Amino acid sequence: MNRVEIGSRSSNVRRLAVAGLLTAVAVAGSTLSFPAFGSSCAPVQHIVNIFCAVFLGSAWGVGSAFCSSLLRNLLSLGSPLAFPGSMLGALLCGLIYKKTKLLLPTLVGEVFGTGVLGGIAAYPFALLFMNKSASEVAVYTYIVPFLVSTAGGAIIAGVVLYTLKGAGALDKLRAMFNR
């Protein structure tokens, strides 16, 4: 094995370990949820989505969002609505960070991906998995609560990431993951 393969493998192991840790943080953080407009808002998931985007990439972020949503549902800490919101937010903010390498558009991508796209995608999930009828739930029903949750998480993640950037630590941390 040459040196590049070994470095790549250790980088992937590092990414997997951090993705697992961030998934655990999202699951544990879901106990810090609050009700908002008929939904349970858990801002920690959105912090994790943004950290995954910056340090790991969109594929790892979507995987972490899926795993945390699955675990939250298995542990009765969330609803099936956790899947579309968290995964779309992770995907969009990850793609935006990959393209721009800028924090502000990444934060906005998380808010739009989870709040708007995830809120709209939650409609069919509610109909299919939560025994809601179309007369009970409108397409836009989940947008406001998802926006509340994701905006709070994006603000917290932004404060942490801009602080790391100001201290010169953000680039060093990203370098650990070859990002």
Side-chain angles (χ1 to χ4, degrees), residues 17-33:
V18 170
L21 178 65
L22 288 172
T23 300
V25 167
V27 173
S30 68
T31 61
L32 302 172
S33 65

Side-chain angles (χ1 to χ4, degrees), residues 1-176:
M1 234 180 256
N2 65 33
R3 186 172 234 180
V4 173
E5 290 176 14
I6 293 171
S8 175
R9 186 179 327 171
S10 67
S11 180
N12 283 335
V13 169
R14 193 175 299 127
R15 286 186 192 120
L16 180 61
V18 170
L21 178 65
L22 288 172
T23 300
V25 167
V27 173
S30 68
T31 61
L32 302 172
S33 65
F34 57 91
F37 306 103
S39 177
S40 179
C41 298
V44 176
Q45 177 66 57
H46 312 294
I47 297 167
V48 167
N49 284 353
I50 294 165
F51 284 6
C52 283
V54 172
F55 297 115
L56 303 175
S58 58
W60 289 96
V62 171
S64 174
F66 174 80
C67 290
S68 63
S69 296
L70 181 63
L71 288 169
R72 287 170 54 197
N73 276 273
L74 291 173
L75 297 170
S76 298
L77 297 172
S79 75
L81 302 180
F83 288 97
S86 66
M87 293 173 68
L88 286 170
L91 177 64
L92 188 59
C93 74
L95 292 174
I96 289 172
Y97 190 78
K98 180 180 181 180
K99 180 76 173 164
T100 67
K101 298 291 189 239
L102 298 171
L103 293 177
L104 185 58
T106 303
L107 300 172
V108 172
E110 168 63 22
V111 172
F112 183 79
T114 297
V116 177
L117 299 179
I120 292 169
Y123 175 74
F125 268 70
L127 296 178
L128 291 170
F129 299 113
M130 298 177 68
N131 297 324
K132 301 280 185 181
S133 70
S135 63
E136 289 180 78
V137 180
V139 170
Y140 54 82
T141 300
Y142 298 106
I143 293 175
V144 171
F146 282 19
L147 279 172
V148 170
S149 180
T150 190
I155 289 168
I156 295 167
V159 168
V160 171
L161 290 172
Y162 277 109
T163 302
L164 289 172
K165 185 177 180 180
L170 184 61
D171 289 335
K172 292 176 184 175
L173 288 170
R174 287 183 54 245
M176 288 176 48

